Amino acid sequence: MSDPVSLSRDGDIGIIRIDYPPVNALGHGVRTGLQSCLREAMADDSLQAVIVIGEGKTFPAGADIREFGKPPQPPSLPEVINEYEASDKLVVAAIHGTALGGGLEVALGCDYRVALDSARLGLPEVNLGLLPGAGGTQRLPRLVGARQALDMIVGGKPVKAAQARELGLVDDVVSGDLLDGALAFTRRLLADRAPRRRIREMDVPGDTGAELFSEFEQSIARKQRGFKAPFSCIKAVQAAVELPFDQGIERERELFFKLLISPESAAQRHVFFAEREVAKVPGLDKTTPKRDIQTVAVIGAGTMGGGIAMNFANAGIPVKLLEVKQDALDKGLAIIRRNYQNTAKKGRISAEQVEQRMALIQPTLSYDELGDVDLVIEAVFENMDVKKAVFTELDRVCKPGAILATNTSTLDVNRIAAFTGRPQDVMGMHFFSPANVMRLLENVRGDKTADDVIATVMDLSRRIGKVGVLVGVCHGFVGNRMLHKRQAEAVQLVNEGASPQQVDKVLFDLGFPMGPFAMSDLAGMDVGYRIREELRKDDPDNAPPRNWTDELVEAGRLGQKTRAGVFDYQEGDRTPIPSPDVDAIIEKYRRDNGITPRHISDQEILERCMYVMVNEGAKILEEGIAARPLDVDVIWIYGYGFPVYRGGVLFWADQVGVKTIFDKVNEIYQQTGSDVWKPAQLLTDLAEQNKGFYSK
Ligand code: 3H9
């Protein structure tokens, strides 16, 4: 393999090229190469200046994350950057693609920065539970001011080249050939006898008062609840304004290493790789051809269908939206327009984009207009008879090779496929509500789904900005199947004596955005009720027994939409308020069923709600419904707001200890004899071998 870093010459300018695909991460070989090439350039009297540039698609996108947790190999990135900054010839960074994390820190160790107009620059370490640990927290504020540095470091979002130019983060923006632009820029500097510009020698410009930091901390406190890194980032930037450079660097190092060994960062790094890994389906050949998806149709213009259609319009893909009645179609389109207008009001899209996207959504009342589409997604009422009617029509009108997808969240995709004469073209695409916002897409493979259909849908997921996870057919697939077990346990805990608000608080404190009961209020209590009723009709022996939540629905308490569900809600406010009416219904339920309520500890709530999910997750893996633990974890992170800093349900289980969980699951099973608590074979095996879901 060729050297990852090389030095070439263009007249009196040395060019240090980094060539380490896919993203020129600053692994050991790159750091060594950067150091030796710089030394060679400094020793070469024919060279007056040096340009650092990345080959391939990007300037370095950061430190090599795969090296974290392994013994460090010198030279460290800060050492390399210090050498660049201390060098006695002009050094210019030439940036294209994404200069991220350690990559931007290398650029900050250079005297000047030139960027291609399409480049993006940022310090996104916070997303990995880290802070910029190679001088970024000390150099960036000196260049752009503390407030802007806080925005970039704590927010973790890259800025575009034009904005970077405005901020003074880059000195020139070029289009066309980056190297030509960088050479011309460097020659101008040499001709002008431009001075060296060592950022370490600069003062932080602008507002540097202590209240800037306390205010910033307050402003993120709610959103960043449970995360450690954003708060450490603020401390590190504060050090840049309060301490001399070298002491600030020491403070940054200290804070960085604390984060590096934290469970939160380990979890966030796990999620980074897991999110990328889910796209690689085990057993599906990477070279599987994909079907061409140019146009799409969505059946049903309700909340779900409308949200699904927006995803395609957002990605520039024309989408036909079908409803059976004109007024339902009009209503659906009006909601979509309102959603886009709200986004425009927040400044995220322009008024022109609203119109462009609306123009991509073509309303229709007739199945006969779907003959030319490449993919149809059905998002109608969760009822098998309705699904049958839709898929029979689709089979009649769609062209051969069109992919027919269902957005069902619980129904059997194989049964739905059997309504058509082309089950190989049918699969599930289970969007999560709100479908235009939530990033998860559970792609459900039926028994007969063709490989190229799977490959196409997985690829399309990414095209529309979703994280697609492939799962198999079972009731509720992966996410809802685990959720239903947790929900049933939450109800059971209330039956036994807990209050809904106690249960919710325990899960909120674990890091969920809301507890199980606030969540069912948000989703609408009638959704679960309908599913249970359907089960009671279809499979009465296995259907859940009636409980107090059924009584709430029958009393008209459907959740937030009726401002009364498990909790009460005030007009225009989503804060759940405990309800005396609900307490009375629960008490009556306990009385009617001869239950004497007992004190239930928070620990018991945590164990029962979470362990039941871990056990179900293990069963899901055992049955091959999910291929790997990381598929389950990604589903929980992106579909249900499981805290990223805990890495997913099964990653969390490993932190708790699978043996500990198994012992409790088994204990409850022995006590209750309940099937849900029967330990999964996989859980039993892992516990016996003292392993975790992720242990090799
Ligand atoms: C840091 O810099 C710490 C320093 O401050 C201090 C040090 C002392 N390392 O996302 P993609 C892999 S922390 C290793 O699919 P895209 C990725 O796993 C770092 N590998 O492509 C994937 O591998 P595979 C701060 C990395 O075009 C492949 O590259 N930097 C790294 O959609 C392609 O990735 C960041 O947090 C890495 N740093 O997006 C930036 N980055 O093919 C993290 C990527 O085997 N990276 N890989 O699945 C990104 O945000 C995106 O990857 C990027 C490209 C925008 C660059």
Side-chain angles (χ1 to χ4, degrees):
M1 223 175 92
S2 62
D3 287 341
V5 187
S6 59
L7 173 67
S8 61
R9 290 161 181 82
D10 188 305
D12 56 357
I13 298 177
I15 300 159
I16 295 179
R17 286 173 205 273
I18 306 166
D19 186 7
Y20 186 54
V23 297
N24 289 325
L26 296 151
H28 177 241
V30 175
R31 297 195 303 275
T32 313
L34 278 172
Q35 191 178 51
S36 61
C37 287
L38 181 77
R39 287 177 184 178
E40 194 184 331
M42 291 304 127
D44 185 339
D45 290 340
S46 70
L47 296 180
Q48 293 202 56
V50 174
I51 291 173
V52 187
I53 192 165
E55 280 292 308
K57 65 176 186 178
T58 187
F59 197 77
D64 190 336
I65 306 167
R66 290 176 206 271
E67 284 185 357
F68 292 155
K70 297 184 185 155
Q73 283 183 287
S76 71
L77 191 56
E79 279 164 3
V80 174
I81 293 171
N82 284 344
E83 229 174 294
Y84 272 73
E85 193 174 46
S87 69
D88 50 18
K89 288 175 187 166
L90 269 182
V91 187
V92 174
I95 296 166
H96 76 300
T98 42
L100 298 179
L104 181 56
E105 289 173 301
V106 167
L108 290 170
C110 301
D111 297 278
Y112 295 90
R113 286 149 293 280
V114 180
L116 202 56
D117 48 10
S118 54
R120 288 182 302 136
L121 300 88
L123 293 172
E125 286 88 340
V126 72
N127 300 323
L128 300 169
L130 295 171
L131 53 74
T137 65
Q138 304 305 297
R139 290 193 178 92
L140 187 65
R142 285 177 162 79
L143 203 55
V144 303
R147 184 177 291 280
Q148 193 58 46
L150 283 171
D151 279 344
M152 284 184 68
I153 294 172
V154 181
K157 278 214 182 96
V159 295
K160 293 184 181 151
Q163 196 190 345
R165 177 80 183 90
E166 274 169 34
L167 295 171
L169 177 53
V170 300
D171 303 286
D172 199 10
V173 176
V174 299
S175 48
D177 187 85
L178 174 63
L179 184 58
D180 284 350
L183 282 166
F185 176 80
T186 310
R187 293 220 157 88
R188 277 201 307 275
L189 291 178
L190 290 173
D192 296 347
R193 295 182 185 283
R196 302 293 322 273
R197 260 172 97 231
R198 296 189 175 101
I199 295 178
R200 65 154 58 224
E201 291 164 2
M202 300 178 181
D203 291 327
V204 179
D207 185 2
T208 55
E211 62 285 357
L212 169 66
F213 300 96
S214 54
E215 275 167 29
F216 203 90
E217 198 171 301
Q218 274 166 24
S219 73
I220 63 160
R222 223 176 110 130
K223 217 170 150 213
Q224 303 289 356
R225 179 177 67 98
F227 288 92
K228 284 213 174 93
F231 302 95
S232 297
C233 287
I234 296 175
K235 287 196 182 92
V237 175
Q238 189 161 7
V241 306
E242 290 176 354
L243 300 175
F245 184 82
D246 288 327
Q247 282 179 36
I249 287 283
E250 259 175 50
R251 179 90 177 109
E252 177 194 271
R253 282 312 267 168
E254 187 189 304
L255 290 164
F256 176 78
F257 281 114
K258 235 188 223 167
L259 290 175
L260 189 62
I261 56 167
S262 69
E264 288 82 1
S265 176
Q268 288 176 256
R269 283 180 271 135
H270 160 69
V271 173
F272 175 85
F273 288 117
E275 179 186 330
R276 283 153 179 84
E277 212 51 37
V278 287
K280 300 167 195 159
V281 176
L284 188 71
D285 197 325
K286 265 204 286 197
T287 58
T288 308
K290 295 175 191 82
R291 298 187 189 180
D292 193 21
I293 306 291
Q294 301 280 351
T295 55
V296 174
V298 175
I299 315 292
T303 316
M304 214 53 201
I308 295 172
M310 287 174 77
N311 287 298
F312 292 96
N314 295 350
I317 301 171
V319 50
K320 292 183 179 173
L321 185 60
L322 184 142
E323 257 299 345
V324 278
K325 292 210 177 96
Q326 186 68 48
D327 57 342
L329 193 54
D330 292 344
K331 200 172 146 203
L333 281 170
I335 293 173
I336 294 175
R337 177 172 285 282
R338 206 173 57 224
N339 283 338
Y340 277 139
Q341 282 167 342
N342 286 340
T343 313
K345 264 190 216 146
K346 290 178 195 149
R348 294 207 203 115
I349 56 172
S350 64
E352 199 188 344
Q353 280 171 312
V354 173
E355 295 314 318
Q356 281 164 358
R357 292 179 191 192
M358 286 308 295
L360 284 168
I361 302 175
Q362 190 195 322
T364 176
L365 293 169
S366 164
Y367 276 91
D368 291 323
E369 286 192 31
L370 307 188
D372 59 346
V373 297
D374 304 312
L375 163 74
V376 186
I377 302 170
E378 159 280 309
V380 300
F381 198 63
E382 280 292 79
N383 173 292
M384 221 18 136
D385 296 337
V386 183
K387 306 280 184 196
K388 183 175 178 181
V390 170
F391 276 82
T392 306
E393 273 300 86
L394 292 178
D395 198 23
R396 181 179 70 78
V397 300
C398 289
K399 67 182 181 189
I403 296 175
L404 310 183
T406 169
N407 176 53
T408 182
S409 57
T410 49
L411 299 178
D412 184 342
V413 174
N414 289 324
R415 270 180 75 191
I416 294 175
F419 298 140
T420 73
R422 40 174 128 176
Q424 74 282 358
D425 296 337
V426 177
M427 77 180 277
M429 287 177 77
H430 177 212
F431 289 79
F432 284 67
S433 186
N436 53 318
V437 176
M438 296 297 284
R439 290 197 60 211
L440 178 65
L441 189 47
E442 258 185 342
N443 292 325
V444 191
R445 105 198 282 166
D447 290 347
K448 297 193 176 151
T449 310
D451 276 1
D452 64 338
V453 170
I454 296 171
T456 306
V457 168
M458 290 298 285
D459 183 62
L460 184 67
S461 309
R462 197 172 152 115
R463 239 174 103 193
I464 60 171
K466 299 287 177 198
V467 180
V469 184
L470 190 68
V471 302
V473 176
C474 66
H475 186 79
F477 314 122
V478 172
N480 282 346
R481 176 169 156 182
M482 290 166 71
L483 180 77
H484 292 162
K485 298 291 181 293
R486 184 191 77 175
Q487 210 69 18
E489 203 54 36
V491 169
Q492 182 59 27
L493 281 157
V494 173
N495 291 348
E496 292 173 32
S499 67
Q501 51 274 25
Q502 186 193 3
V503 174
D504 269 22
K505 182 172 183 315
V506 170
L507 288 156
F508 179 80
D509 288 349
L510 186 73
F512 277 101
M514 64 189 85
F517 294 116
M519 185 172 167
S520 56
D521 276 354
L522 177 68
M525 299 269 294
D526 47 333
V527 179
Y529 177 79
R530 257 204 319 270
I531 295 169
R532 290 194 296 278
E533 286 292 290
E534 189 88 0
L535 267 174
R536 284 169 191 146
K537 235 176 17 201
D538 282 3
D539 191 5
D541 291 343
N542 291 314
R546 273 183 64 84
N547 62 55
W548 53 271
T549 61
D550 295 308
E551 285 174 33
L552 295 189
V553 175
E554 285 157 12
R557 300 186 66 103
L558 306 187
Q560 283 193 20
K561 58 187 163 192
T562 53
R563 288 185 26 223
V566 176
F567 301 109
D568 286 335
Y569 298 87
Q570 280 173 350
E571 179 83 56
D573 190 344
R574 293 174 183 274
T575 315
I577 304 165
S579 157
D581 293 350
V582 173
D583 289 347
I585 291 176
I586 293 169
E587 274 160 31
K588 178 174 179 302
Y589 174 82
R590 288 178 186 146
R591 267 197 318 276
D592 291 351
N593 289 276
I595 300 167
T596 310
R598 64 180 173 89
H599 169 76
I600 297 194
S601 71
D602 288 355
Q603 182 64 18
E604 181 176 345
I605 292 173
L606 181 78
E607 288 173 353
R608 284 175 53 182
C609 286
M610 290 302 295
Y611 294 2
V612 79
M613 288 206 293
V614 174
N615 194 37
E616 200 61 28
K619 289 177 188 174
I620 281 168
L621 287 173
E622 223 173 273
E623 294 165 22
I625 299 295
R628 300 153 294 189
L630 61 89
D631 294 291
V632 176
D633 281 346
V634 168
I635 285 172
W636 272 86
I637 299 274
Y638 289 107
Y640 302 87
F642 189 85
V644 184
Y645 57 83
R646 295 200 195 277
V649 174
L650 300 181
F651 189 88
W652 173 85
D654 278 4
Q655 311 303 302
V656 173
V658 166
K659 173 86 173 70
T660 306
I661 295 179
F662 166 81
D663 288 344
K664 185 51 101 183
V665 168
N666 198 33
E667 183 190 315
I668 301 177
Y669 178 57
Q670 299 303 330
Q671 282 165 5
T672 62
S674 155
D675 238 18
V676 273
W677 285 105
K678 184 169 184 203
Q681 192 56 47
L682 176 63
L683 197 72
T684 313
D685 294 347
L686 291 176
E688 264 169 22
Q689 296 158 23
N690 216 359
K691 284 186 175 168
F693 288 99
Y694 286 95
S695 315
K696 297 256 162 32

Short mmCIF file of all heavy atoms in Angstrom, two decimals, residues 91-120:
data_model
loop_
_atom_site.label_atom_id
_atom_site.label_comp_id
_atom_site.label_asym_id
_atom_site.label_seq_id
_atom_site.Cartn_x
_atom_site.Cartn_y
_atom_site.Cartn_z
N VAL A 91 2.44 27.80 6.17
CA VAL A 91 1.68 26.58 5.90
C VAL A 91 0.22 26.97 5.61
O VAL A 91 -0.39 27.72 6.37
CB VAL A 91 1.72 25.58 7.08
CG1 VAL A 91 1.06 24.26 6.68
CG2 VAL A 91 3.14 25.33 7.54
N VAL A 92 -0.31 26.44 4.51
CA VAL A 92 -1.69 26.75 4.09
C VAL A 92 -2.48 25.45 4.01
O VAL A 92 -2.02 24.47 3.40
CB VAL A 92 -1.69 27.46 2.71
CG1 VAL A 92 -3.11 27.67 2.20
CG2 VAL A 92 -0.95 28.78 2.80
N ALA A 93 -3.66 25.44 4.60
CA ALA A 93 -4.53 24.26 4.46
C ALA A 93 -5.46 24.50 3.27
O ALA A 93 -6.06 25.58 3.16
CB ALA A 93 -5.35 24.07 5.73
N ALA A 94 -5.57 23.50 2.40
CA ALA A 94 -6.48 23.59 1.25
C ALA A 94 -7.60 22.59 1.47
O ALA A 94 -7.37 21.38 1.50
CB ALA A 94 -5.72 23.28 -0.03
N ILE A 95 -8.81 23.11 1.67
CA ILE A 95 -9.89 22.28 2.21
C ILE A 95 -10.98 22.01 1.18
O ILE A 95 -11.52 22.94 0.57
CB ILE A 95 -10.50 23.00 3.44
CG1 ILE A 95 -9.45 23.12 4.54
CG2 ILE A 95 -11.74 22.27 3.95
CD1 ILE A 95 -9.82 24.09 5.64
N HIS A 96 -11.33 20.74 1.02
CA HIS A 96 -12.52 20.39 0.24
C HIS A 96 -13.28 19.31 1.01
O HIS A 96 -12.75 18.75 1.98
CB HIS A 96 -12.15 19.92 -1.17
CG HIS A 96 -11.60 18.53 -1.23
ND1 HIS A 96 -10.44 18.16 -0.57
CD2 HIS A 96 -12.04 17.41 -1.86
CE1 HIS A 96 -10.19 16.88 -0.81
NE2 HIS A 96 -11.15 16.39 -1.58
N GLY A 97 -14.50 19.04 0.58
CA GLY A 97 -15.30 18.02 1.27
C GLY A 97 -15.65 18.50 2.67
O GLY A 97 -16.24 19.56 2.84
N THR A 98 -15.19 17.74 3.67
CA THR A 98 -15.52 18.11 5.04
C THR A 98 -14.24 18.13 5.89
O THR A 98 -13.58 17.11 6.04
CB THR A 98 -16.48 17.08 5.67
OG1 THR A 98 -16.05 15.77 5.27
CG2 THR A 98 -17.90 17.29 5.21
N ALA A 99 -13.90 19.31 6.41
CA ALA A 99 -12.80 19.40 7.38
C ALA A 99 -13.46 19.33 8.74
O ALA A 99 -14.05 20.31 9.21
CB ALA A 99 -12.05 20.71 7.22
N LEU A 100 -13.41 18.13 9.34
CA LEU A 100 -14.16 17.94 10.58
C LEU A 100 -13.22 17.53 11.72
O LEU A 100 -12.21 16.87 11.48
CB LEU A 100 -15.22 16.87 10.41
CG LEU A 100 -16.32 17.14 9.37
CD1 LEU A 100 -17.27 15.96 9.29
CD2 LEU A 100 -17.08 18.41 9.70
N GLY A 101 -13.61 17.89 12.94
CA GLY A 101 -12.89 17.44 14.12
C GLY A 101 -11.39 17.68 13.98
O GLY A 101 -10.94 18.78 13.62
N GLY A 102 -10.61 16.61 14.21
CA GLY A 102 -9.16 16.71 14.10
C GLY A 102 -8.72 17.28 12.76
O GLY A 102 -7.68 17.93 12.67
N GLY A 103 -9.51 17.07 11.71
CA GLY A 103 -9.19 17.63 10.39
C GLY A 103 -9.19 19.14 10.44
O GLY A 103 -8.23 19.80 9.99
N LEU A 104 -10.22 19.72 11.03
CA LEU A 104 -10.26 21.18 11.14
C LEU A 104 -9.16 21.65 12.10
O LEU A 104 -8.56 22.71 11.91
CB LEU A 104 -11.64 21.66 11.60
CG LEU A 104 -11.79 23.18 11.72
CD1 LEU A 104 -11.46 23.88 10.41
CD2 LEU A 104 -13.19 23.56 12.15
N GLU A 105 -8.88 20.82 13.10
CA GLU A 105 -7.83 21.22 14.06
C GLU A 105 -6.46 21.29 13.37
O GLU A 105 -5.65 22.15 13.67
CB GLU A 105 -7.82 20.25 15.25
CG GLU A 105 -9.06 20.45 16.14
CD GLU A 105 -9.18 19.41 17.24
OE1 GLU A 105 -9.25 18.21 16.90
OE2 GLU A 105 -9.19 19.79 18.42
N VAL A 106 -6.22 20.37 12.41
CA VAL A 106 -4.99 20.46 11.62
C VAL A 106 -4.98 21.78 10.86
O VAL A 106 -3.98 22.52 10.85
CB VAL A 106 -4.88 19.27 10.62
CG1 VAL A 106 -3.79 19.51 9.60
CG2 VAL A 106 -4.63 17.96 11.37
N ALA A 107 -6.12 22.11 10.25
CA ALA A 107 -6.20 23.36 9.48
C ALA A 107 -5.98 24.58 10.38
O ALA A 107 -5.41 25.58 9.94
CB ALA A 107 -7.56 23.44 8.79
N LEU A 108 -6.41 24.46 11.65
CA LEU A 108 -6.23 25.59 12.58
C LEU A 108 -4.77 25.71 13.03
O LEU A 108 -4.36 26.74 13.54
CB LEU A 108 -7.15 25.43 13.80
CG LEU A 108 -8.65 25.61 13.54
CD1 LEU A 108 -9.46 25.18 14.76
CD2 LEU A 108 -8.98 27.05 13.17
N GLY A 109 -4.02 24.64 12.85
CA GLY A 109 -2.58 24.68 13.15
C GLY A 109 -1.80 25.31 12.00
O GLY A 109 -0.61 25.58 12.14
N CYS A 110 -2.47 25.51 10.86
CA CYS A 110 -1.81 26.14 9.70
C CYS A 110 -1.95 27.67 9.82
O CYS A 110 -2.78 28.17 10.58
CB CYS A 110 -2.45 25.67 8.41
SG CYS A 110 -2.35 23.87 8.19
N ASP A 111 -1.16 28.39 9.01
CA ASP A 111 -1.24 29.86 9.08
C ASP A 111 -2.49 30.39 8.39
O ASP A 111 -3.12 31.32 8.88
CB ASP A 111 -0.01 30.47 8.40
CG ASP A 111 1.26 30.07 9.10
OD1 ASP A 111 1.59 30.71 10.11
OD2 ASP A 111 1.91 29.10 8.67
N TYR A 112 -2.83 29.79 7.24
CA TYR A 112 -3.98 30.28 6.47
C TYR A 112 -4.80 29.08 5.98
O TYR A 112 -4.28 27.96 5.87
CB TYR A 112 -3.50 31.11 5.26
CG TYR A 112 -2.79 32.37 5.67
CD1 TYR A 112 -1.40 32.37 5.86
CD2 TYR A 112 -3.49 33.56 5.88
CE1 TYR A 112 -0.73 33.53 6.25
CE2 TYR A 112 -2.82 34.73 6.26
CZ TYR A 112 -1.44 34.71 6.45
OH TYR A 112 -0.79 35.84 6.85
N ARG A 113 -6.05 29.36 5.62
CA ARG A 113 -6.94 28.31 5.14
C ARG A 113 -7.67 28.77 3.88
O ARG A 113 -8.23 29.89 3.87
CB ARG A 113 -7.99 27.96 6.22
CG ARG A 113 -7.42 27.14 7.38
CD ARG A 113 -8.11 27.41 8.69
NE ARG A 113 -7.84 28.76 9.15
CZ ARG A 113 -6.72 29.14 9.77
NH1 ARG A 113 -5.79 28.27 10.07
NH2 ARG A 113 -6.52 30.41 10.11
N VAL A 114 -7.61 27.92 2.86
CA VAL A 114 -8.34 28.17 1.62
C VAL A 114 -9.35 27.04 1.48
O VAL A 114 -9.00 25.87 1.69
CB VAL A 114 -7.39 28.11 0.40
CG1 VAL A 114 -8.16 28.37 -0.89
CG2 VAL A 114 -6.27 29.09 0.55
N ALA A 115 -10.59 27.37 1.13
CA ALA A 115 -11.58 26.29 1.02
C ALA A 115 -12.27 26.33 -0.35
O ALA A 115 -12.47 27.41 -0.93
CB ALA A 115 -12.63 26.41 2.11
N LEU A 116 -12.62 25.16 -0.82
CA LEU A 116 -13.44 25.06 -2.02
C LEU A 116 -14.85 25.53 -1.64
O LEU A 116 -15.29 25.30 -0.51
CB LEU A 116 -13.45 23.60 -2.46
CG LEU A 116 -13.77 23.28 -3.91
CD1 LEU A 116 -12.81 24.01 -4.86
CD2 LEU A 116 -13.67 21.78 -4.16
N ASP A 117 -15.55 26.13 -2.58
CA ASP A 117 -16.86 26.71 -2.22
C ASP A 117 -17.86 25.67 -1.71
O ASP A 117 -18.80 26.00 -0.99
CB ASP A 117 -17.46 27.50 -3.41
CG ASP A 117 -17.41 26.73 -4.70
OD1 ASP A 117 -17.09 25.53 -4.68
OD2 ASP A 117 -17.68 27.33 -5.77
N SER A 118 -17.66 24.39 -2.05
CA SER A 118 -18.60 23.36 -1.59
C SER A 118 -18.20 22.73 -0.25
O SER A 118 -18.87 21.85 0.27
CB SER A 118 -18.67 22.24 -2.64
OG SER A 118 -17.36 21.78 -2.90
N ALA A 119 -17.08 23.19 0.32
CA ALA A 119 -16.57 22.54 1.54
C ALA A 119 -17.41 22.90 2.77
O ALA A 119 -18.12 23.90 2.79
CB ALA A 119 -15.12 22.98 1.79
N ARG A 120 -17.33 22.01 3.77
CA ARG A 120 -17.97 22.30 5.07
C ARG A 120 -16.92 22.09 6.16
O ARG A 120 -16.10 21.17 6.06
CB ARG A 120 -19.18 21.39 5.29
CG ARG A 120 -20.37 21.79 4.39
CD ARG A 120 -21.58 20.94 4.63
NE ARG A 120 -21.28 19.54 4.43
CZ ARG A 120 -21.68 18.57 5.25
NH1 ARG A 120 -22.38 18.84 6.32
NH2 ARG A 120 -21.37 17.31 4.99
#
